[in-house]
Amino acid sequence: MRNLKKISLFSLLIIIVSLGSCDEGEFLTEVNPNAVTEDTFWKTQEQFNTALTTVYGALQFQSISGGLLGHQMVRGDIAGTEPWYRNLQFRNLTFNDGTFYVTDKWNELYIGVFRANQVINQLQSADPSIVFTGKSKVEMEAQARFLRAFFYFQIAHTYGKGIIHTTVPAVGEFNKDLSTIQEITETVIKPDLEFAKTNLPQSWSDSDIGRVTWGAATSLLGKVYLYEKDWSMASQNFKQVINSELYSLTSDIMDNFRHDTEFNSESIFEVAYNDELAPGIGGGAVDDFPSGSGAEASTLSAEVGQLSFNAFNTVLASYYLHEMLINDVIDAGNPINTGENTQSRRLTATIAPRNGEGDYYKLPLGDRPGWGFGQSAYVKKHSNWYHKTQEESVEFSGRSGINFRHIRLADIYLMYAESVLELNGDVTTAITYIDKVRERAGVITLDKYMTDNAGMFPQLHVSKQIHGNLPMVSPSVENVMTHLRRVERPSELCFEGHRWNDLVRWGIVSDVFTELAADEAWRESNKESVLKINDGGIAPLFIIERIRPDFTVANGSYTSSQHDYFPIPTGEVQTNGNLITN
């Protein structure tokens, strides 16, 4: 999408301009001949494409693909934060219907819906005299419908409900009842994705790189069915993507989190950012910002990057994630391991521990202050640690040009493994696709573990530090599913926007929080006698100064009905007459 240059102002989206008038003859209404209106727009293929670009532009909103995703990242088991950051409201589950991010995400997703509806509606009623080349008209509609489906999938599974708009609302039509996830899925998401799947190309030319494709539509459709527990349809769609051979895992997992390896062989749907355009404008300036100019950049690197390197580390790796990545032992026989690394490639690409390998912001790990006050590891993924000396900050909002990948092939492999496990208990196939991801990470595959351990593999999500060893289990459907849920998906896909939804759809939030709160309590009780937090800390986490409290409050306050989904924002309730009365 770097080639889809975003239009700066929301006003250029052709909101219908209504010129006020009084009684006839009272005065003359003068029309600005330079104004963009319904009468002057939607006349050429180029104008339709310009409007479509603004739909893509909505993807860049920070609540959808940028820095504000940090508030969602800290809700699950992979991350924590500090009490002086706003993220704490989400880590401790103390947010409400007026909390800024609850409101921001809703508004930004519905801007995306509104923009998509404009394009779809205008294409469907376009003047027959307009010349569209080749399949451009139906392909533009397919792109807009994919994007609308994506926005509605985010609405449905973030808020648990939503308001369905498939046309640009006229005055008074904003007052509509809430619809359930199922209603949104059947009314909008599935039909849109089926249309997109049928009408999108498998690939675009280099000049249109970043536009959504058949693979993106088929992948998201498979995910929709997975969330519905329609294992057969989910597995069919995922297998179509796999069998197409359009995609392949990158040799280095880090290629999925760099600015110079974007739109690679593994990428299926990603959102473009650019830190070279609009210099001097902070990444938080979106395309309808009062300044009239968007940044095109992301603020996510500032959220995850380390404080000593001009970032804020508002999202911190949990002890659970850190230790699990350490438990994932490298396979010395895998060519991806050069003999110099003792930690997995996945760990090195994901987090920065005190005893990590290689440079961090072009300095050996530990050469700057940090890793104190309970921090065992900082987040590398999405930061510029690999090529800059520090993060760029404009007015403390950050500027990063690293694209955000919403769907990549590793995710498809793991969702396919899940769907076949649920469909018919096909452990062999599930392990095959899990091991494809593990092999790329350079860690011991489940198959090798079983070969070397009489058919058993370790439960890598268990804290070895606390429990003394990793229980060995047989490859039953239940045990492989537990590995997929508790090890593979968080290790591979952490901080990529999936984790909370995964925990919720599996119904295991309470179990996970209870377990991690117990681990936290053990560490607190043994922080000086065993963990030596005032004496340099001990392996493998080397925690010093304190035990960071990530899960105790959340575990005590979590209620599925209250916290699985965000509440409908208070602003929507107050302005929507149907919600006020209902």
Side-chain angles (χ1 to χ4, degrees):
M1 201 175 72
R2 258 177 213 281
N3 296 62
L4 296 175
K5 292 188 178 179
K6 181 167 53 107
I7 305 304
S8 295
L9 286 173
F10 187 33
S11 59
L12 291 185
L13 293 173
I14 324 308
I15 302 175
I16 297 174
V17 177
S18 299
L19 297 176
S21 62
C22 295
D23 292 339
E24 185 177 354
E26 197 167 306
F27 60 81
L28 294 176
T29 301
E30 184 174 341
V31 178
N32 180 357
N34 298 313
V36 179
T37 70
E38 284 277 299
D39 293 331
T40 61
F41 204 74
W42 309 113
K43 301 301 182 184
T44 66
Q45 178 179 321
E46 182 180 3
Q47 289 177 330
F48 275 96
N49 202 49
T50 295
L52 177 61
T53 301
T54 67
V55 189
Y56 279 99
L59 293 169
Q60 291 183 322
F61 288 144
Q62 300 302 313
S63 295
I64 297 175
S65 308
L68 292 181
L69 286 178
H71 300 294
Q72 286 187 224
M73 293 175 183
V74 301
R75 282 205 290 169
D77 52 1
I78 58 174
T81 191
E82 292 291 8
W84 50 84
Y85 289 126
R86 294 194 298 177
N87 303 55
L88 189 68
Q89 299 173 70
F90 298 91
R91 170 65 280 161
N92 286 348
L93 304 180
T94 56
F95 57 83
N96 57 46
D97 59 2
T99 303
F100 65 100
Y101 180 63
V102 173
T103 298
D104 288 356
K105 191 174 184 75
W106 175 275
N107 292 341
E108 291 180 358
L109 287 167
Y110 271 105
I111 288 174
V113 168
F114 175 81
R115 295 180 179 188
N117 281 339
Q118 281 194 309
V119 175
I120 295 165
N121 296 167
Q122 292 292 341
L123 280 168
Q124 291 173 345
S125 62
D127 191 315
S129 66
I130 299 175
V131 177
F132 291 94
T133 58
K135 298 180 179 179
S136 61
K137 182 179 180 182
V138 71
E139 287 177 346
M140 281 193 284
E141 182 177 348
Q143 292 172 74
R145 291 186 68 171
F146 170 88
L147 295 170
R148 182 171 68 179
F150 172 79
F151 294 133
Y152 265 117
F153 184 86
Q154 295 288 318
I155 291 166
H157 294 286
T158 301
Y159 296 89
K161 294 179 181 179
I163 297 172
I164 296 176
H165 293 291
T166 55
T167 61
V168 176
V171 176
E173 291 181 353
F174 285 95
N175 295 331
K176 298 185 71 174
D177 293 334
L178 288 168
S179 296
T180 64
I181 292 177
Q182 182 179 7
E183 290 168 339
I184 295 169
T185 300
E186 296 299 329
T187 303
V188 185
I189 298 175
K190 282 184 183 177
D192 278 357
L193 291 177
E194 291 286 2
F195 184 90
K197 180 179 177 180
T198 300
N199 293 290
L200 285 173
Q202 291 189 335
S203 62
W204 295 91
S205 65
D206 289 345
S207 62
D208 284 321
I209 192 169
R211 293 184 185 272
V212 294
T213 61
W214 169 89
T218 308
S219 297
L220 185 53
L221 187 58
K223 187 171 182 177
V224 169
Y225 283 118
L226 187 79
Y227 276 46
E228 286 190 321
K229 303 185 189 301
D230 187 337
W231 315 120
S232 177
M233 289 299 294
S235 62
Q236 287 180 40
N237 278 276
F238 295 142
K239 199 62 164 66
Q240 287 174 19
V241 175
I242 294 167
N243 287 347
S244 73
E245 299 184 348
L246 293 167
Y247 310 99
S248 60
L249 296 180
T250 59
S251 59
D252 186 350
I253 186 176
M254 185 61 197
D255 286 347
N256 296 294
F257 317 113
R258 299 173 63 104
H259 73 290
D260 52 2
T261 51
E262 295 165 342
F263 302 115
N264 57 45
S265 65
E266 188 169 340
S267 174
I268 298 176
F269 174 44
E270 68 180 83
V271 175
Y273 288 105
N274 192 316
D275 61 356
E276 296 174 355
L277 299 175
I281 300 177
V286 294
D287 65 351
D288 54 350
F289 203 69
S291 67
S293 179
E296 301 280 1
S298 171
T299 62
L300 187 52
S301 64
E303 298 300 314
V304 299
Q306 212 250 58
L307 191 64
S308 299
F309 300 94
N310 210 32
F312 303 112
N313 50 250
T314 58
V315 178
L316 296 161
S318 67
Y319 300 146
Y320 161 73
L321 177 65
H322 184 178
E323 189 173 4
M324 183 168 57
L325 288 169
I326 289 174
N327 289 344
D328 231 354
V329 178
I330 68 169
D331 179 0
N334 187 329
I336 197 173
N337 296 311
T338 63
E340 299 176 358
N341 62 296
T342 61
Q343 297 174 339
S344 80
R345 298 297 187 187
R346 188 154 61 182
L347 181 153
T348 301
T350 304
I351 61 172
R354 285 174 61 193
N355 63 332
E357 298 173 335
D359 288 348
Y360 183 54
Y361 290 103
K362 296 190 175 183
L363 288 173
L365 277 162
D367 270 21
R368 281 196 187 182
W371 294 273
F373 203 53
Q375 321 310 354
S376 71
Y378 295 98
V379 178
K380 279 184 173 179
K381 191 179 285 190
H382 308 303
S383 75
N384 288 282
W385 68 273
Y386 59 93
H387 73 115
K388 290 186 177 183
T389 57
Q390 64 179 21
E391 296 297 336
E392 181 182 355
S393 177
V394 177
E395 296 180 354
F396 304 103
S397 66
R399 279 180 58 86
S400 175
I402 302 173
N403 288 3
F404 189 87
R405 285 77 162 179
H406 279 284
I407 306 175
R408 56 188 178 95
L409 186 61
D411 186 15
I412 301 303
Y413 281 169
L414 297 180
M415 289 192 290
Y416 179 61
E418 179 183 348
S419 63
V420 298
L421 273 176
E422 295 281 15
L423 178 62
N424 52 23
D426 190 348
V427 169
T428 300
T429 298
I431 288 177
T432 296
Y433 282 92
I434 289 170
D435 278 351
K436 287 179 184 292
V437 177
R438 293 184 63 77
E439 186 173 14
R440 191 269 298 275
V443 298
I444 299 173
T445 62
L446 296 187
D447 183 68
K448 180 172 174 55
Y449 270 126
M450 293 187 293
T451 299
D452 296 344
N453 294 277
M456 311 279 274
F457 66 88
Q459 291 190 308
L460 300 170
H461 65 284
V462 174
S463 172
K464 188 175 180 180
Q465 183 178 68
I466 294 172
H467 300 286
N469 54 51
L470 300 176
M472 301 295 291
V473 296
S474 62
S476 66
V477 172
E478 180 181 0
N479 289 334
V480 175
M481 186 65 76
T482 296
H483 174 86
L484 186 66
R485 291 175 172 179
R486 299 297 309 279
V487 179
E488 220 56 54
R489 286 192 65 81
S491 295
E492 178 71 21
L493 302 168
C494 56
F495 313 116
E496 295 183 43
H498 309 292
R499 191 57 182 163
W500 182 256
N501 286 350
D502 277 349
L503 294 175
V504 168
R505 68 187 178 86
W506 293 327
I508 63 173
V509 177
S510 182
D511 292 341
V512 168
F513 278 4
T514 298
E515 175 187 313
L516 297 184
D519 287 355
E520 198 170 273
W522 183 92
R523 287 192 168 100
E524 181 64 28
S525 297
N526 294 276
K527 61 185 179 183
E528 295 177 355
S529 59
V530 177
L531 301 182
K532 309 294 183 183
I533 67 165
N534 293 319
D535 192 24
I538 64 168
L541 304 186
F542 297 102
I543 305 169
I544 58 175
E545 298 185 328
R546 66 157 187 165
I547 301 300
R548 194 179 67 238
D550 286 334
F551 297 102
T552 301
V553 174
N555 181 54
S557 61
Y558 171 73
T559 302
S560 176
S561 60
Q562 184 177 351
H563 298 113
D564 284 353
Y565 303 103
F566 285 166
I568 304 303
T570 183
E572 180 68 33
V573 175
Q574 291 172 350
T575 57
N576 185 330
N578 287 35
L579 302 191
I580 293 173
T581 57
N582 294 331

